[in-house]
Amino acid sequence: MATQYAISGATAREIAASAERAVTEGRLRPGDALPPVRTLADGLGVSPGTVAAAYKELRRRGIVVTRGRGGTVVASAPSVASRRPPRVPEGLRDLAGGHPDPAFLPDLVPPGRLSPGARSHRASPRLPQLEELARAWFRRDGVPDGQVTFAHGALDCVARLLSVELRPGDAVAVEDPGFHHLLDLVPALGLRTAAVAVDDEGMRPEALRSALRAGARAVVLCPRAQNPYGSRVSEARREELLAVLAGSPEVLVVEDDHSADTAGGPLHSLTTAGARGPGRWAQIRTVSKHLGTDLRWTAMACDPVTLARHDGRMLLTSGWVSHVLQETVVRLMTDPATAELVAAAGTAYTERREALIAALAEHGITGAAVSGLNVWVPVRDEAAVVNGLRSQGWWVAGGSRFRIGAGPGVRITVADLRVPEAAVLAADFGRVLADSASTYGG
């Protein structure tokens, strides 16, 4: 038994299970290197092929990754260990969470008449009134509403789509930097991430083309309010991306329009291009950013094949989204006071985002964000900036968990950053960068 590696076993299955336990229990941590195949084989008294098979299974399950000459290491967010953000230190202003301003969220009041328990929800999984509201929601922005269904959240929906469409080892094109939970989810499903660089207008066409040439069978992107970069797909960029995708009609394109009502800007969806649009597609919308973070409800518009595959798998698992939850969403979506609150939120988020961008620019600092709740600031040393701002009373998110090959940066959530506070934060940011430069030079 190779106790120094916290791994034991005589078969590939036993070795993989032992390594998984070590990761789950924290004896092997993210970034820790596993021993070379031959070294572990010698220590366990098994063949190198047995260890290689164990490592292959661990890679397939998203527990480890292989870094070429860097060997095999525990994944940054292994599928058997939940990676949660660090606790916000007491007394700091929290700008790291990515959450909306609670002041703009309506009170969540469950319906007075609860759904009867003894009926077949599987036979009628969607409330007709909410289904029609969802169709109108998509139709408002030109998204085809012929096929609509529900899920429990954006990631729940994406996970189901990828699991029914792709096989272990297939590649998924994702934004870089991108939503960290999606970057964790893809390898947890046994899939590979194909990083696609982004700018203010969304995915870069040449980067998407490279991902497709590398074999990506699905693309997941945010058309606006991209997290963490704040991109919004422009009309010109939409045409460029459609031209790239035209040669790959079998690729599933998933748009996560998670902040549809508070993103700050129009939607230029790939799905609105009619016959020129992707043949396989889905657009996902949630209400957590404008109605309540505890409302785990998602609406999805999609093509007929995607609908059948998604709903077929859901029927075999959770079956349906709670009708009590659906009734709560109906009440909020039809409430005039809530509509006014959502509109005010969208205006405030735009003002706060633009205020921070402008304040940073006055100190020679470039921030990226043309929509959404976050501002991405490229920096040379993430840790130095996070710690420096912490000493000034601010808590921001280091960018390492949001990126694959993109350069370092920090993410600042501006949802509840009042406009006057932007100048104070920007001045503190400037001092932190000056201190960092004097420490490290240049």
Side-chain angles (χ1 to χ4, degrees):
M1 174 176 175
T3 55
Q4 66 269 38
Y5 300 121
I7 299 173
S8 62
T11 66
R13 179 176 295 180
E14 291 174 351
I15 294 168
S18 174
E20 180 177 338
R21 284 195 302 273
V23 173
T24 303
E25 296 169 1
R27 290 179 285 121
L28 283 175
R29 300 180 179 276
D32 284 353
L34 272 64
V37 169
R38 290 190 178 277
T39 301
L40 184 58
D42 290 343
L44 297 176
V46 300
S47 72
T50 298
V51 175
Y55 281 14
K56 181 178 180 180
E57 173 64 14
L58 292 169
R59 284 194 300 272
R60 186 188 70 80
R61 298 202 39 234
I63 298 172
V64 303
V65 295
T66 298
R67 295 178 175 171
R69 293 183 179 180
T72 299
V73 302
V74 178
S76 59
S79 58
V80 296
S82 176
R83 177 174 66 173
R84 298 183 182 276
R87 185 184 302 274
V88 181
E90 187 175 350
L92 296 189
R93 185 78 158 79
D94 182 12
L95 303 178
H99 304 303
D101 186 344
F104 292 114
L105 298 179
D107 294 331
L108 299 185
V109 181
R113 179 187 59 81
L114 300 183
S115 301
R119 71 180 184 187
S120 176
H121 292 73
R122 290 180 186 270
S124 181
R126 296 182 293 278
L127 295 181
Q129 186 178 5
L130 185 55
E131 184 169 346
E132 182 49 43
L133 286 169
R135 292 183 191 279
W137 196 17
F138 288 114
R139 192 163 55 241
R140 179 195 72 186
D141 293 317
V143 177
D145 66 315
Q147 291 82 33
V148 170
T149 191
F150 301 162
H152 298 95
L155 286 174
D156 169 70
C157 194
V158 172
R160 191 172 296 110
L161 291 174
L162 296 181
S163 65
V164 298
E165 292 288 340
L166 278 61
R167 295 182 178 181
D170 285 344
V172 181
V174 296
E175 295 160 324
D176 183 22
F179 185 38
H180 59 291
H181 288 308
L182 176 64
L183 301 186
D184 296 345
L185 173 65
V186 171
L189 295 173
L191 306 171
R192 295 182 293 112
T193 53
V196 179
V198 299
D199 57 23
D200 285 346
E201 298 180 82
M203 280 187 165
R204 295 181 179 177
E206 68 278 6
L208 177 59
R209 182 177 290 108
S210 296
L212 295 175
R213 286 174 176 170
R217 294 191 55 210
V219 180
V220 183
L221 73 154
C222 293
R224 51 187 171 178
Q226 194 267 357
N227 183 3
Y229 200 85
S231 303
R232 183 177 68 238
V233 174
S234 66
E235 187 172 4
R237 179 60 55 84
R238 178 186 65 178
E239 297 304 313
E240 292 176 308
L241 295 177
L242 286 171
V244 172
L245 289 164
S248 303
E250 76 288 352
V251 170
L252 173 66
V253 178
V254 180
E255 288 187 344
D256 179 8
D257 194 17
H258 58 87
S259 292
D261 285 30
T262 56
L267 173 70
H268 296 294
S269 169
L270 304 183
T271 71
T272 61
R276 295 184 298 107
R280 298 296 314 287
W281 62 274
Q283 215 224 33
I284 298 168
R285 291 189 173 187
T286 62
V287 296
S288 60
K289 289 292 189 283
H290 68 281
L291 295 184
T293 55
D294 205 37
L295 290 176
R296 311 309 297 167
W297 175 80
T298 291
M300 179 177 75
C302 56
D303 67 88
V305 174
T306 300
L307 177 75
R309 292 179 178 177
H310 174 276
D311 283 8
R313 177 61 61 87
M314 190 168 185
L315 183 65
L316 297 174
T317 53
S318 58
W320 70 91
V321 176
S322 162
H323 281 197
V324 175
L325 173 59
Q326 292 188 46
E327 290 168 359
T328 302
V329 175
V330 167
R331 175 179 294 188
L332 292 172
M333 291 184 74
T334 56
D335 176 43
T338 297
E340 292 179 4
L341 199 60
V342 171
T347 300
Y349 295 155
T350 297
E351 292 174 348
R352 294 169 185 180
R353 184 180 63 250
E354 293 178 349
L356 181 58
I357 294 289
L360 289 170
E362 291 181 2
H363 294 270
I365 304 169
T366 300
V370 295
S371 64
L373 305 181
N374 304 293
V375 170
W376 178 261
V377 184
V379 298
R380 186 180 60 179
D381 187 329
E382 292 178 358
V385 171
V386 170
N387 291 327
L389 288 175
R390 175 178 179 172
S391 69
Q392 300 291 328
W394 307 100
W395 186 245
V396 303
S400 59
R401 60 188 172 126
F402 300 100
R403 55 191 180 83
I404 302 172
V410 295
R411 188 193 72 174
I412 303 173
T413 299
V414 298
D416 64 348
L417 182 73
R418 304 301 188 269
V419 170
E421 294 179 297
V424 181
L425 173 57
D428 288 341
F429 207 124
R431 280 190 288 270
V432 168
L433 291 184
D435 290 344
S436 177
S438 64
T439 300
Y440 298 105

